[in-house]
PDB file of all heavy atoms in Angstrom:
ATOM      1  N   ALA A 324     -47.460  -9.938 -32.898  1.00 89.00           N
ATOM      2  CA  ALA A 324     -48.858 -10.169 -33.286  1.00 89.00           C
ATOM      3  C   ALA A 324     -49.161 -11.656 -33.354  1.00 89.00           C
ATOM      4  O   ALA A 324     -50.229 -12.107 -32.921  1.00 89.00           O
ATOM      5  CB  ALA A 324     -49.146  -9.504 -34.623  1.00 89.00           C
ATOM      6  N   ARG A 325     -48.232 -12.435 -33.899  1.00 91.00           N
ATOM      7  CA  ARG A 325     -48.442 -13.883 -33.976  1.00 91.00           C
ATOM      8  C   ARG A 325     -48.482 -14.512 -32.589  1.00 91.00           C
ATOM      9  O   ARG A 325     -49.291 -15.406 -32.323  1.00 91.00           O
ATOM     10  CB  ARG A 325     -47.332 -14.511 -34.821  1.00 91.00           C
ATOM     11  CG  ARG A 325     -47.530 -14.293 -36.324  1.00 91.00           C
ATOM     12  CD  ARG A 325     -46.358 -14.804 -37.119  1.00 91.00           C
ATOM     13  NE  ARG A 325     -46.602 -14.674 -38.558  1.00 91.00           N
ATOM     14  CZ  ARG A 325     -45.655 -14.637 -39.483  1.00 91.00           C
ATOM     15  NH1 ARG A 325     -44.365 -14.704 -39.104  1.00 91.00           N
ATOM     16  NH2 ARG A 325     -45.960 -14.530 -40.757  1.00 91.00           N
ATOM     17  N   TRP A 326     -47.612 -14.041 -31.697  1.00 90.00           N
ATOM     18  CA  TRP A 326     -47.641 -14.535 -30.328  1.00 90.00           C
ATOM     19  C   TRP A 326     -48.994 -14.230 -29.675  1.00 90.00           C
ATOM     20  O   TRP A 326     -49.562 -15.067 -28.969  1.00 90.00           O
ATOM     21  CB  TRP A 326     -46.519 -13.897 -29.515  1.00 90.00           C
ATOM     22  CG  TRP A 326     -45.251 -14.686 -29.497  1.00 90.00           C
ATOM     23  CD1 TRP A 326     -44.113 -14.442 -30.195  1.00 90.00           C
ATOM     24  CD2 TRP A 326     -44.998 -15.871 -28.740  1.00 90.00           C
ATOM     25  NE1 TRP A 326     -43.159 -15.391 -29.924  1.00 90.00           N
ATOM     26  CE2 TRP A 326     -43.669 -16.285 -29.025  1.00 90.00           C
ATOM     27  CE3 TRP A 326     -45.747 -16.621 -27.836  1.00 90.00           C
ATOM     28  CZ2 TRP A 326     -43.098 -17.412 -28.460  1.00 90.00           C
ATOM     29  CZ3 TRP A 326     -45.178 -17.751 -27.262  1.00 90.00           C
ATOM     30  CH2 TRP A 326     -43.867 -18.130 -27.575  1.00 90.00           C
ATOM     31  N   PHE A 327     -49.506 -13.041 -29.907  1.00 91.00           N
ATOM     32  CA  PHE A 327     -50.774 -12.628 -29.309  1.00 91.00           C
ATOM     33  C   PHE A 327     -51.926 -13.481 -29.841  1.00 91.00           C
ATOM     34  O   PHE A 327     -52.787 -13.939 -29.069  1.00 91.00           O
ATOM     35  CB  PHE A 327     -51.023 -11.148 -29.605  1.00 91.00           C
ATOM     36  CG  PHE A 327     -52.204 -10.563 -28.888  1.00 91.00           C
ATOM     37  CD1 PHE A 327     -52.129 -10.245 -27.543  1.00 91.00           C
ATOM     38  CD2 PHE A 327     -53.398 -10.335 -29.554  1.00 91.00           C
ATOM     39  CE1 PHE A 327     -53.216  -9.717 -26.875  1.00 91.00           C
ATOM     40  CE2 PHE A 327     -54.484  -9.800 -28.899  1.00 91.00           C
ATOM     41  CZ  PHE A 327     -54.399  -9.486 -27.554  1.00 91.00           C
ATOM     42  N   ILE A 328     -51.953 -13.696 -31.153  1.00 90.00           N
ATOM     43  CA  ILE A 328     -53.006 -14.519 -31.757  1.00 90.00           C
ATOM     44  C   ILE A 328     -52.935 -15.950 -31.240  1.00 90.00           C
ATOM     45  O   ILE A 328     -53.957 -16.565 -30.899  1.00 90.00           O
ATOM     46  CB  ILE A 328     -52.894 -14.475 -33.295  1.00 90.00           C
ATOM     47  CG1 ILE A 328     -53.204 -13.060 -33.809  1.00 90.00           C
ATOM     48  CG2 ILE A 328     -53.861 -15.476 -33.941  1.00 90.00           C
ATOM     49  CD1 ILE A 328     -52.936 -12.864 -35.283  1.00 90.00           C
ATOM     50  N   ASN A 329     -51.725 -16.501 -31.158  1.00 90.00           N
ATOM     51  CA  ASN A 329     -51.563 -17.863 -30.647  1.00 90.00           C
ATOM     52  C   ASN A 329     -51.992 -17.976 -29.185  1.00 90.00           C
ATOM     53  O   ASN A 329     -52.554 -18.993 -28.774  1.00 90.00           O
ATOM     54  CB  ASN A 329     -50.101 -18.310 -30.805  1.00 90.00           C
ATOM     55  CG  ASN A 329     -49.712 -18.537 -32.252  1.00 90.00           C
ATOM     56  OD1 ASN A 329     -50.575 -18.802 -33.099  1.00 90.00           O
ATOM     57  ND2 ASN A 329     -48.435 -18.421 -32.554  1.00 90.00           N
ATOM     58  N   ALA A 330     -51.715 -16.924 -28.403  1.00 89.00           N
ATOM     59  CA  ALA A 330     -52.096 -16.944 -26.989  1.00 89.00           C
ATOM     60  C   ALA A 330     -53.623 -16.963 -26.840  1.00 89.00           C
ATOM     61  O   ALA A 330     -54.167 -17.670 -25.973  1.00 89.00           O
ATOM     62  CB  ALA A 330     -51.508 -15.734 -26.268  1.00 89.00           C
ATOM     63  N   ILE A 331     -54.328 -16.217 -27.679  1.00 89.00           N
ATOM     64  CA  ILE A 331     -55.796 -16.217 -27.642  1.00 89.00           C
ATOM     65  C   ILE A 331     -56.333 -17.584 -28.055  1.00 89.00           C
ATOM     66  O   ILE A 331     -57.268 -18.121 -27.442  1.00 89.00           O
ATOM     67  CB  ILE A 331     -56.358 -15.101 -28.545  1.00 89.00           C
ATOM     68  CG1 ILE A 331     -56.028 -13.727 -27.950  1.00 89.00           C
ATOM     69  CG2 ILE A 331     -57.869 -15.247 -28.713  1.00 89.00           C
ATOM     70  CD1 ILE A 331     -56.483 -12.566 -28.800  1.00 89.00           C
ATOM     71  N   ASN A 332     -55.755 -18.157 -29.116  1.00 90.00           N
ATOM     72  CA  ASN A 332     -56.186 -19.486 -29.553  1.00 90.00           C
ATOM     73  C   ASN A 332     -55.941 -20.534 -28.464  1.00 90.00           C
ATOM     74  O   ASN A 332     -56.763 -21.432 -28.268  1.00 90.00           O
ATOM     75  CB  ASN A 332     -55.455 -19.874 -30.844  1.00 90.00           C
ATOM     76  CG  ASN A 332     -55.871 -19.023 -32.024  1.00 90.00           C
ATOM     77  OD1 ASN A 332     -56.969 -18.459 -32.031  1.00 90.00           O
ATOM     78  ND2 ASN A 332     -55.012 -18.908 -33.016  1.00 90.00           N
ATOM     79  N   GLN A 333     -54.812 -20.410 -27.780  1.00 89.00           N
ATOM     80  CA  GLN A 333     -54.507 -21.335 -26.690  1.00 89.00           C
ATOM     81  C   GLN A 333     -55.514 -21.190 -25.556  1.00 89.00           C
ATOM     82  O   GLN A 333     -55.956 -22.186 -24.966  1.00 89.00           O
ATOM     83  CB  GLN A 333     -53.089 -21.084 -26.180  1.00 89.00           C
ATOM     84  CG  GLN A 333     -52.645 -22.007 -25.050  1.00 89.00           C
ATOM     85  CD  GLN A 333     -52.514 -23.446 -25.495  1.00 89.00           C
ATOM     86  OE1 GLN A 333     -52.277 -23.712 -26.671  1.00 89.00           O
ATOM     87  NE2 GLN A 333     -52.685 -24.375 -24.563  1.00 89.00           N
ATOM     88  N   ARG A 334     -55.879 -19.943 -25.236  1.00 89.00           N
ATOM     89  CA  ARG A 334     -56.884 -19.704 -24.202  1.00 89.00           C
ATOM     90  C   ARG A 334     -58.202 -20.371 -24.569  1.00 89.00           C
ATOM     91  O   ARG A 334     -58.814 -21.072 -23.752  1.00 89.00           O
ATOM     92  CB  ARG A 334     -57.094 -18.195 -24.034  1.00 89.00           C
ATOM     93  CG  ARG A 334     -58.303 -17.841 -23.164  1.00 89.00           C
ATOM     94  CD  ARG A 334     -58.740 -16.405 -23.396  1.00 89.00           C
ATOM     95  NE  ARG A 334     -59.900 -16.050 -22.590  1.00 89.00           N
ATOM     96  CZ  ARG A 334     -61.149 -16.218 -22.975  1.00 89.00           C
ATOM     97  NH1 ARG A 334     -61.412 -16.779 -24.160  1.00 89.00           N
ATOM     98  NH2 ARG A 334     -62.159 -15.855 -22.190  1.00 89.00           N
ATOM     99  N   ASN A 335     -58.680 -20.147 -25.790  1.00 89.00           N
ATOM    100  CA  ASN A 335     -59.952 -20.715 -26.222  1.00 89.00           C
ATOM    101  C   ASN A 335     -59.902 -22.241 -26.238  1.00 89.00           C
ATOM    102  O   ASN A 335     -60.873 -22.911 -25.851  1.00 89.00           O
ATOM    103  CB  ASN A 335     -60.318 -20.179 -27.604  1.00 89.00           C
ATOM    104  CG  ASN A 335     -60.559 -18.685 -27.596  1.00 89.00           C
ATOM    105  OD1 ASN A 335     -60.817 -18.093 -26.539  1.00 89.00           O
ATOM    106  ND2 ASN A 335     -60.477 -18.054 -28.751  1.00 89.00           N
ATOM    107  N   HIS A 336     -58.785 -22.800 -26.696  1.00 91.00           N
ATOM    108  CA  HIS A 336     -58.642 -24.249 -26.759  1.00 91.00           C
ATOM    109  C   HIS A 336     -58.672 -24.856 -25.356  1.00 91.00           C
ATOM    110  O   HIS A 336     -59.345 -25.871 -25.116  1.00 91.00           O
ATOM    111  CB  HIS A 336     -57.332 -24.607 -27.469  1.00 91.00           C
ATOM    112  CG  HIS A 336     -57.061 -26.077 -27.530  1.00 91.00           C
ATOM    113  ND1 HIS A 336     -57.842 -26.948 -28.266  1.00 91.00           N
ATOM    114  CD2 HIS A 336     -56.104 -26.841 -26.933  1.00 91.00           C
ATOM    115  CE1 HIS A 336     -57.381 -28.180 -28.127  1.00 91.00           C
ATOM    116  NE2 HIS A 336     -56.330 -28.137 -27.321  1.00 91.00           N
ATOM    117  N   THR A 337     -57.977 -24.232 -24.413  1.00 90.00           N
ATOM    118  CA  THR A 337     -57.958 -24.734 -23.034  1.00 90.00           C
ATOM    119  C   THR A 337     -59.330 -24.602 -22.392  1.00 90.00           C
ATOM    120  O   THR A 337     -59.767 -25.492 -21.651  1.00 90.00           O
ATOM    121  CB  THR A 337     -56.906 -23.966 -22.210  1.00 90.00           C
ATOM    122  OG1 THR A 337     -55.641 -24.021 -22.881  1.00 90.00           O
ATOM    123  CG2 THR A 337     -56.766 -24.557 -20.825  1.00 90.00           C
TER     124      THR A 337
END
Side-chain angles (χ1 to χ4, degrees):
R325 283 174 176 158
W326 268 103
F327 188 76
I328 294 172
N329 290 336
I331 292 177
N332 292 336
Q333 181 67 26
R334 169 199 179 271
N335 296 340
H336 177 67
T337 307

